[in-house]
Amino acid sequence: MRLVVLGPPGAGKGTQAVRIAKEFSCSDVATGDIFRANVAEGSELGQAAQEYMDRGDLVPDELVIAMVMERLAERDCQAGFVLDGFPRTVNQAEALDRRLAELGSPLEAALSFDVTEEELLRRLAGRAAAQHRSDDAEQTIRHRLEVFAIKTRPLIDYYARRGLLVSVDAIGPIEVVTKRILDDLEGGRRPA
């Protein structure tokens, strides 16, 4: 299975990506986790990424593309992957498509998580308090939602035009959302 998960911050992408990867015995590749690990290690990439993340901005495409392509070349991704946090721009999606075409392993679906803004603000405020995440402060949350609307939402159109988009109602208990996703992927809605 080769999937990307799309949606605004707080939509549940990370939680569901882990569950989907487990269900299909493939790798969960979360760029946010990779960035946070680099920040914790104090690597050069981590320091650069931290500046963007603290502002709620996207890390520049060239850095993200190189990092993700390197990760997808690792052995554990040969059985498939669920990409969480990449692509975030059409430029990144096109780079991913080119690389996967070279490998003869195109994407099978792009899951778009649909959540109301009210629910997103509630979730992100709770996450900020529980995890003490600097990228979940209220001002940063609003900025991240604006960045998503401007830069990331065009991906929904991009994948819809390619016939890969699967919209997911991401409101409800985690298990219910997972079941919706699996029903969509296993129930014939998965692109060939």
Short mmCIF file of all heavy atoms in Angstrom, two decimals, residues 34-93:
data_model
loop_
_atom_site.label_atom_id
_atom_site.label_comp_id
_atom_site.label_asym_id
_atom_site.label_seq_id
_atom_site.Cartn_x
_atom_site.Cartn_y
_atom_site.Cartn_z
N ILE A 34 10.22 13.16 11.90
CA ILE A 34 11.60 13.26 11.43
C ILE A 34 12.16 14.64 11.78
O ILE A 34 13.29 14.76 12.26
CB ILE A 34 11.69 12.98 9.92
CG1 ILE A 34 11.30 11.54 9.64
CG2 ILE A 34 13.09 13.28 9.38
CD1 ILE A 34 11.06 11.23 8.16
N PHE A 35 11.37 15.69 11.56
CA PHE A 35 11.82 17.04 11.90
C PHE A 35 12.08 17.17 13.39
O PHE A 35 13.11 17.69 13.81
CB PHE A 35 10.78 18.10 11.49
CG PHE A 35 10.72 18.36 10.02
CD1 PHE A 35 9.50 18.57 9.39
CD2 PHE A 35 11.86 18.41 9.24
CE1 PHE A 35 9.43 18.82 8.03
CE2 PHE A 35 11.80 18.66 7.88
CZ PHE A 35 10.58 18.87 7.28
N ARG A 36 11.12 16.68 14.22
CA ARG A 36 11.29 16.81 15.67
C ARG A 36 12.51 16.03 16.16
O ARG A 36 13.22 16.49 17.05
CB ARG A 36 10.01 16.39 16.38
CG ARG A 36 8.94 17.48 16.32
CD ARG A 36 7.72 17.14 17.16
NE ARG A 36 6.84 16.19 16.52
CZ ARG A 36 5.93 16.49 15.59
NH1 ARG A 36 5.80 17.73 15.18
NH2 ARG A 36 5.17 15.55 15.07
N ALA A 37 12.77 14.87 15.57
CA ALA A 37 13.96 14.09 15.96
C ALA A 37 15.23 14.86 15.61
O ALA A 37 16.17 14.91 16.41
CB ALA A 37 13.95 12.74 15.26
N ASN A 38 15.25 15.50 14.44
CA ASN A 38 16.42 16.29 14.05
C ASN A 38 16.60 17.50 14.96
O ASN A 38 17.72 17.87 15.29
CB ASN A 38 16.30 16.74 12.59
CG ASN A 38 16.78 15.70 11.62
OD1 ASN A 38 17.97 15.61 11.34
ND2 ASN A 38 15.87 14.91 11.09
N VAL A 39 15.48 18.11 15.38
CA VAL A 39 15.55 19.25 16.30
C VAL A 39 16.13 18.79 17.63
O VAL A 39 17.04 19.42 18.19
CB VAL A 39 14.16 19.89 16.48
CG1 VAL A 39 14.15 20.86 17.65
CG2 VAL A 39 13.72 20.58 15.20
N ALA A 40 15.63 17.66 18.13
CA ALA A 40 16.12 17.14 19.42
C ALA A 40 17.60 16.80 19.36
O ALA A 40 18.33 17.00 20.34
CB ALA A 40 15.30 15.91 19.82
N GLU A 41 18.06 16.31 18.22
CA GLU A 41 19.48 15.97 18.05
C GLU A 41 20.34 17.20 17.80
O GLU A 41 21.56 17.12 17.86
CB GLU A 41 19.64 14.99 16.88
CG GLU A 41 19.03 13.63 17.11
CD GLU A 41 18.92 12.80 15.83
OE1 GLU A 41 19.48 13.21 14.79
OE2 GLU A 41 18.29 11.75 15.88
N GLY A 42 19.70 18.33 17.46
CA GLY A 42 20.44 19.55 17.18
C GLY A 42 21.17 19.53 15.85
O GLY A 42 22.12 20.27 15.63
N SER A 43 20.70 18.69 14.91
CA SER A 43 21.34 18.61 13.60
C SER A 43 21.13 19.92 12.84
O SER A 43 20.26 20.73 13.19
CB SER A 43 20.77 17.44 12.79
OG SER A 43 19.45 17.74 12.36
N GLU A 44 21.91 20.09 11.78
CA GLU A 44 21.78 21.31 10.97
C GLU A 44 20.39 21.42 10.38
O GLU A 44 19.76 22.48 10.42
CB GLU A 44 22.84 21.28 9.86
CG GLU A 44 22.96 22.60 9.12
CD GLU A 44 24.11 22.59 8.12
OE1 GLU A 44 25.18 22.03 8.45
OE2 GLU A 44 23.92 23.14 7.02
N LEU A 45 19.88 20.30 9.85
CA LEU A 45 18.52 20.29 9.30
C LEU A 45 17.52 20.60 10.40
O LEU A 45 16.58 21.36 10.20
CB LEU A 45 18.19 18.94 8.66
CG LEU A 45 16.75 18.77 8.17
CD1 LEU A 45 16.40 19.79 7.10
CD2 LEU A 45 16.54 17.36 7.65
N GLY A 46 17.73 20.03 11.58
CA GLY A 46 16.83 20.27 12.70
C GLY A 46 16.78 21.72 13.12
O GLY A 46 15.71 22.26 13.40
N GLN A 47 17.93 22.38 13.13
CA GLN A 47 17.96 23.79 13.50
C GLN A 47 17.24 24.64 12.46
O GLN A 47 16.48 25.54 12.81
CB GLN A 47 19.41 24.25 13.67
CG GLN A 47 20.08 23.64 14.88
CD GLN A 47 21.57 23.94 14.95
OE1 GLN A 47 22.11 24.69 14.14
NE2 GLN A 47 22.25 23.35 15.92
N ALA A 48 17.45 24.33 11.19
CA ALA A 48 16.76 25.07 10.13
C ALA A 48 15.26 24.82 10.19
O ALA A 48 14.45 25.76 10.09
CB ALA A 48 17.31 24.68 8.76
N ALA A 49 14.88 23.56 10.38
CA ALA A 49 13.47 23.21 10.43
C ALA A 49 12.78 23.87 11.62
O ALA A 49 11.64 24.32 11.51
CB ALA A 49 13.31 21.69 10.50
N GLN A 50 13.46 23.96 12.76
CA GLN A 50 12.88 24.54 13.97
C GLN A 50 12.41 25.97 13.74
O GLN A 50 11.34 26.36 14.20
CB GLN A 50 13.87 24.49 15.13
CG GLN A 50 13.30 25.02 16.44
CD GLN A 50 12.23 24.13 17.01
OE1 GLN A 50 12.50 22.96 17.28
NE2 GLN A 50 11.03 24.63 17.19
N GLU A 51 13.22 26.74 13.03
CA GLU A 51 12.84 28.14 12.77
C GLU A 51 11.52 28.22 12.02
O GLU A 51 10.64 29.03 12.36
CB GLU A 51 13.93 28.83 11.97
CG GLU A 51 15.22 29.03 12.75
CD GLU A 51 16.31 29.66 11.90
OE1 GLU A 51 15.97 30.38 10.92
OE2 GLU A 51 17.49 29.44 12.21
N TYR A 52 11.36 27.38 11.00
CA TYR A 52 10.11 27.38 10.23
C TYR A 52 8.95 26.86 11.07
O TYR A 52 7.87 27.43 11.07
CB TYR A 52 10.26 26.52 8.97
CG TYR A 52 11.19 27.12 7.95
CD1 TYR A 52 12.52 26.73 7.88
CD2 TYR A 52 10.75 28.10 7.06
CE1 TYR A 52 13.39 27.28 6.95
CE2 TYR A 52 11.60 28.65 6.14
CZ TYR A 52 12.92 28.24 6.07
OH TYR A 52 13.77 28.80 5.17
N MET A 53 9.18 25.76 11.79
CA MET A 53 8.11 25.14 12.57
C MET A 53 7.63 26.06 13.69
O MET A 53 6.42 26.13 13.95
CB MET A 53 8.59 23.80 13.15
CG MET A 53 8.76 22.74 12.08
SD MET A 53 9.61 21.20 12.53
CE MET A 53 9.35 20.99 14.23
N ASP A 54 8.53 26.78 14.32
CA ASP A 54 8.12 27.69 15.40
C ASP A 54 7.20 28.79 14.89
O ASP A 54 6.33 29.27 15.62
CB ASP A 54 9.34 28.31 16.08
CG ASP A 54 10.01 27.35 17.05
OD1 ASP A 54 9.41 26.31 17.39
OD2 ASP A 54 11.15 27.65 17.47
N ARG A 55 7.38 29.19 13.64
CA ARG A 55 6.53 30.22 13.05
C ARG A 55 5.24 29.63 12.47
O ARG A 55 4.35 30.36 12.07
CB ARG A 55 7.28 30.95 11.92
CG ARG A 55 8.40 31.83 12.39
CD ARG A 55 8.90 32.75 11.27
NE ARG A 55 9.23 32.03 10.06
CZ ARG A 55 10.47 31.67 9.70
NH1 ARG A 55 11.49 31.96 10.48
NH2 ARG A 55 10.68 31.04 8.56
N GLY A 56 5.21 28.28 12.36
CA GLY A 56 4.06 27.64 11.74
C GLY A 56 4.16 27.61 10.23
O GLY A 56 3.18 27.32 9.55
N ASP A 57 5.35 27.91 9.70
CA ASP A 57 5.56 27.90 8.25
C ASP A 57 6.03 26.53 7.80
O ASP A 57 6.50 25.71 8.59
CB ASP A 57 6.63 28.94 7.86
CG ASP A 57 6.14 30.36 8.00
OD1 ASP A 57 4.91 30.58 7.89
OD2 ASP A 57 6.97 31.25 8.22
N LEU A 58 5.90 26.29 6.50
CA LEU A 58 6.37 25.03 5.93
C LEU A 58 7.88 25.10 5.70
O LEU A 58 8.40 26.12 5.30
CB LEU A 58 5.67 24.76 4.60
CG LEU A 58 4.15 24.61 4.63
CD1 LEU A 58 3.62 24.35 3.23
CD2 LEU A 58 3.73 23.50 5.57
N VAL A 59 8.55 23.99 5.95
CA VAL A 59 9.98 23.88 5.64
C VAL A 59 10.09 23.91 4.12
O VAL A 59 9.26 23.31 3.43
CB VAL A 59 10.56 22.58 6.25
CG1 VAL A 59 12.01 22.39 5.87
CG2 VAL A 59 10.39 22.59 7.77
N PRO A 60 11.09 24.62 3.55
CA PRO A 60 11.20 24.74 2.09
C PRO A 60 11.20 23.39 1.36
O PRO A 60 11.78 22.41 1.83
CB PRO A 60 12.54 25.47 1.89
CG PRO A 60 12.74 26.24 3.15
CD PRO A 60 12.14 25.37 4.24
N ASP A 61 10.57 23.39 0.19
CA ASP A 61 10.39 22.17 -0.59
C ASP A 61 11.69 21.40 -0.82
O ASP A 61 11.71 20.18 -0.65
CB ASP A 61 9.80 22.50 -1.97
CG ASP A 61 8.30 22.74 -1.92
OD1 ASP A 61 7.69 22.57 -0.84
OD2 ASP A 61 7.73 23.09 -2.97
N GLU A 62 12.76 22.08 -1.21
CA GLU A 62 13.98 21.35 -1.57
C GLU A 62 14.52 20.53 -0.40
O GLU A 62 14.98 19.40 -0.58
CB GLU A 62 15.05 22.28 -2.15
CG GLU A 62 15.47 23.42 -1.27
CD GLU A 62 14.59 24.67 -1.36
OE1 GLU A 62 13.56 24.65 -2.07
OE2 GLU A 62 14.93 25.67 -0.70
N LEU A 63 14.43 21.07 0.83
CA LEU A 63 14.89 20.32 2.01
C LEU A 63 13.99 19.13 2.29
O LEU A 63 14.46 18.02 2.57
CB LEU A 63 14.92 21.23 3.24
CG LEU A 63 15.91 22.39 3.24
CD1 LEU A 63 15.70 23.26 4.48
CD2 LEU A 63 17.33 21.87 3.19
N VAL A 64 12.70 19.37 2.22
CA VAL A 64 11.74 18.31 2.53
C VAL A 64 11.79 17.20 1.48
O VAL A 64 11.81 16.01 1.83
CB VAL A 64 10.31 18.89 2.64
CG1 VAL A 64 9.30 17.80 2.93
CG2 VAL A 64 10.24 19.96 3.72
N ILE A 65 11.83 17.56 0.21
CA ILE A 65 11.85 16.57 -0.87
C ILE A 65 13.07 15.67 -0.74
O ILE A 65 12.96 14.44 -0.79
CB ILE A 65 11.80 17.26 -2.25
CG1 ILE A 65 10.42 17.89 -2.47
CG2 ILE A 65 12.12 16.26 -3.36
CD1 ILE A 65 10.34 18.84 -3.66
N ALA A 66 14.24 16.26 -0.54
CA ALA A 66 15.46 15.47 -0.43
C ALA A 66 15.38 14.51 0.76
O ALA A 66 15.73 13.32 0.64
CB ALA A 66 16.67 16.39 -0.29
N MET A 67 14.89 15.01 1.89
CA MET A 67 14.79 14.19 3.08
C MET A 67 13.82 13.02 2.88
O MET A 67 14.14 11.87 3.23
CB MET A 67 14.34 15.05 4.26
CG MET A 67 14.16 14.29 5.55
SD MET A 67 13.37 15.28 6.81
CE MET A 67 11.76 15.53 6.09
N VAL A 68 12.65 13.29 2.31
CA VAL A 68 11.65 12.24 2.14
C VAL A 68 12.10 11.22 1.10
O VAL A 68 11.92 10.01 1.30
CB VAL A 68 10.27 12.84 1.78
CG1 VAL A 68 9.28 11.75 1.40
CG2 VAL A 68 9.74 13.65 2.96
N MET A 69 12.71 11.67 0.01
CA MET A 69 13.16 10.73 -1.01
C MET A 69 14.23 9.79 -0.44
O MET A 69 14.22 8.58 -0.73
CB MET A 69 13.70 11.46 -2.24
CG MET A 69 12.66 12.25 -2.97
SD MET A 69 11.16 11.29 -3.34
CE MET A 69 9.99 12.59 -3.55
N GLU A 70 15.08 10.33 0.40
CA GLU A 70 16.10 9.50 1.06
C GLU A 70 15.42 8.46 1.96
O GLU A 70 15.79 7.29 1.98
CB GLU A 70 17.03 10.40 1.87
CG GLU A 70 18.17 9.68 2.53
CD GLU A 70 19.11 10.65 3.22
OE1 GLU A 70 19.82 11.39 2.52
OE2 GLU A 70 19.11 10.67 4.47
N ARG A 71 14.40 8.89 2.68
CA ARG A 71 13.68 7.99 3.58
C ARG A 71 12.94 6.88 2.82
O ARG A 71 12.94 5.72 3.21
CB ARG A 71 12.69 8.80 4.44
CG ARG A 71 11.79 7.97 5.33
CD ARG A 71 12.57 7.28 6.43
NE ARG A 71 11.70 6.48 7.26
CZ ARG A 71 11.45 5.18 7.06
NH1 ARG A 71 12.01 4.53 6.06
NH2 ARG A 71 10.62 4.53 7.87
N LEU A 72 12.31 7.24 1.68
CA LEU A 72 11.57 6.25 0.91
C LEU A 72 12.48 5.21 0.26
O LEU A 72 12.02 4.13 -0.12
CB LEU A 72 10.70 6.93 -0.16
CG LEU A 72 9.54 7.77 0.37
CD1 LEU A 72 8.77 8.38 -0.79
CD2 LEU A 72 8.63 6.97 1.27
N ALA A 73 13.77 5.52 0.14
CA ALA A 73 14.74 4.58 -0.42
C ALA A 73 15.15 3.51 0.59
O ALA A 73 15.78 2.52 0.22
CB ALA A 73 15.96 5.33 -0.93
N GLU A 74 14.79 3.71 1.86
CA GLU A 74 15.16 2.74 2.89
C GLU A 74 14.37 1.45 2.72
O GLU A 74 13.25 1.43 2.22
CB GLU A 74 14.97 3.35 4.28
CG GLU A 74 15.95 4.48 4.55
CD GLU A 74 15.78 5.10 5.92
OE1 GLU A 74 15.18 4.47 6.81
OE2 GLU A 74 16.28 6.23 6.10
N ARG A 75 14.98 0.38 3.16
CA ARG A 75 14.45 -0.97 2.96
C ARG A 75 13.02 -1.15 3.47
O ARG A 75 12.20 -1.81 2.82
CB ARG A 75 15.40 -1.96 3.64
CG ARG A 75 15.04 -3.41 3.43
CD ARG A 75 16.14 -4.30 4.03
NE ARG A 75 15.88 -5.70 3.82
CZ ARG A 75 16.20 -6.35 2.71
NH1 ARG A 75 16.80 -5.72 1.73
NH2 ARG A 75 15.92 -7.63 2.59
N ASP A 76 12.70 -0.58 4.62
CA ASP A 76 11.37 -0.81 5.20
C ASP A 76 10.24 -0.21 4.38
O ASP A 76 9.09 -0.57 4.58
CB ASP A 76 11.32 -0.32 6.65
CG ASP A 76 11.45 1.19 6.76
OD1 ASP A 76 12.26 1.79 6.03
OD2 ASP A 76 10.74 1.77 7.59
N CYS A 77 10.56 0.68 3.44
CA CYS A 77 9.51 1.29 2.61
C CYS A 77 9.23 0.48 1.34
O CYS A 77 8.30 0.81 0.61
CB CYS A 77 9.89 2.72 2.25
SG CYS A 77 9.80 3.84 3.66
N GLN A 78 10.00 -0.55 1.10
CA GLN A 78 9.79 -1.36 -0.10
C GLN A 78 8.44 -2.06 -0.09
O GLN A 78 7.85 -2.29 -1.14
CB GLN A 78 10.93 -2.37 -0.28
CG GLN A 78 12.24 -1.71 -0.64
CD GLN A 78 13.39 -2.70 -0.74
OE1 GLN A 78 13.23 -3.89 -0.51
NE2 GLN A 78 14.56 -2.18 -1.08
N ALA A 79 7.93 -2.39 1.08
CA ALA A 79 6.62 -3.06 1.19
C ALA A 79 5.47 -2.06 1.12
O ALA A 79 4.31 -2.46 1.14
CB ALA A 79 6.55 -3.84 2.49
N GLY A 80 5.78 -0.77 1.05
CA GLY A 80 4.76 0.26 0.99
C GLY A 80 4.94 1.26 2.12
O GLY A 80 5.81 1.09 2.97
N PHE A 81 4.12 2.31 2.10
CA PHE A 81 4.26 3.37 3.10
C PHE A 81 2.98 4.18 3.18
O PHE A 81 2.17 4.18 2.26
CB PHE A 81 5.43 4.29 2.75
CG PHE A 81 5.37 4.83 1.35
CD1 PHE A 81 4.56 5.91 1.02
CD2 PHE A 81 6.11 4.23 0.35
CE1 PHE A 81 4.49 6.38 -0.27
CE2 PHE A 81 6.05 4.69 -0.96
CZ PHE A 81 5.23 5.77 -1.27
N VAL A 82 2.84 4.84 4.31
CA VAL A 82 1.81 5.86 4.50
C VAL A 82 2.57 7.14 4.81
O VAL A 82 3.27 7.23 5.83
CB VAL A 82 0.85 5.50 5.66
CG1 VAL A 82 -0.19 6.61 5.84
CG2 VAL A 82 0.18 4.15 5.42
N LEU A 83 2.48 8.12 3.92
CA LEU A 83 3.18 9.38 4.09
C LEU A 83 2.30 10.36 4.84
O LEU A 83 1.21 10.70 4.39
CB LEU A 83 3.55 9.99 2.73
CG LEU A 83 4.81 9.49 2.08
CD1 LEU A 83 4.92 10.00 0.64
CD2 LEU A 83 6.03 9.90 2.88
N ASP A 84 2.79 10.81 5.98
CA ASP A 84 2.09 11.76 6.84
C ASP A 84 2.91 13.04 6.91
O ASP A 84 4.00 13.05 7.45
CB ASP A 84 1.93 11.15 8.23
CG ASP A 84 1.42 12.12 9.26
OD1 ASP A 84 0.88 13.18 8.88
OD2 ASP A 84 1.58 11.82 10.46
N GLY A 85 2.39 14.12 6.33
CA GLY A 85 3.10 15.40 6.36
C GLY A 85 3.84 15.69 5.07
O GLY A 85 4.49 16.71 4.95
N PHE A 86 3.72 14.82 4.10
CA PHE A 86 4.33 15.01 2.79
C PHE A 86 3.47 14.26 1.79
O PHE A 86 3.08 13.13 2.07
CB PHE A 86 5.75 14.44 2.78
CG PHE A 86 6.47 14.64 1.47
CD1 PHE A 86 7.22 15.79 1.26
CD2 PHE A 86 6.39 13.69 0.47
CE1 PHE A 86 7.87 15.99 0.06
CE2 PHE A 86 7.04 13.89 -0.73
CZ PHE A 86 7.79 15.03 -0.94
N PRO A 87 3.18 14.86 0.66
CA PRO A 87 3.52 16.21 0.24
C PRO A 87 2.60 17.25 0.87
O PRO A 87 1.48 16.93 1.25
CB PRO A 87 3.32 16.16 -1.27
CG PRO A 87 2.24 15.13 -1.47
CD PRO A 87 2.45 14.12 -0.38
N ARG A 88 3.12 18.47 0.94
CA ARG A 88 2.32 19.59 1.44
C ARG A 88 2.09 20.65 0.38
O ARG A 88 1.35 21.60 0.61
CB ARG A 88 2.97 20.21 2.66
CG ARG A 88 2.85 19.31 3.87
CD ARG A 88 3.10 20.04 5.13
NE ARG A 88 2.87 19.15 6.26
CZ ARG A 88 3.07 19.50 7.50
NH1 ARG A 88 3.51 20.72 7.79
NH2 ARG A 88 2.84 18.64 8.47
N THR A 89 2.76 20.52 -0.74
CA THR A 89 2.57 21.44 -1.86
C THR A 89 2.47 20.63 -3.14
O THR A 89 2.92 19.47 -3.19
CB THR A 89 3.75 22.44 -1.98
OG1 THR A 89 4.94 21.71 -2.32
CG2 THR A 89 3.97 23.24 -0.70
N VAL A 90 1.91 21.23 -4.19
CA VAL A 90 1.82 20.55 -5.47
C VAL A 90 3.22 20.24 -6.00
O VAL A 90 3.45 19.17 -6.56
CB VAL A 90 0.99 21.38 -6.48
CG1 VAL A 90 1.06 20.78 -7.87
CG2 VAL A 90 -0.47 21.46 -6.01
N ASN A 91 4.18 21.14 -5.79
CA ASN A 91 5.56 20.89 -6.21
C ASN A 91 6.10 19.61 -5.56
O ASN A 91 6.74 18.79 -6.23
CB ASN A 91 6.44 22.10 -5.84
CG ASN A 91 7.86 21.96 -6.32
OD1 ASN A 91 8.11 21.58 -7.46
ND2 ASN A 91 8.81 22.26 -5.45
N GLN A 92 5.84 19.44 -4.28
CA GLN A 92 6.28 18.22 -3.59
C GLN A 92 5.55 16.99 -4.14
O GLN A 92 6.16 15.93 -4.31
CB GLN A 92 6.03 18.34 -2.09
CG GLN A 92 6.92 19.34 -1.39
CD GLN A 92 6.59 19.49 0.09
OE1 GLN A 92 5.74 18.80 0.63
NE2 GLN A 92 7.28 20.41 0.75
N ALA A 93 4.26 17.12 -4.43
CA ALA A 93 3.49 15.99 -4.97
C ALA A 93 4.03 15.57 -6.33
O ALA A 93 4.14 14.38 -6.62
CB ALA A 93 2.01 16.37 -5.07
#
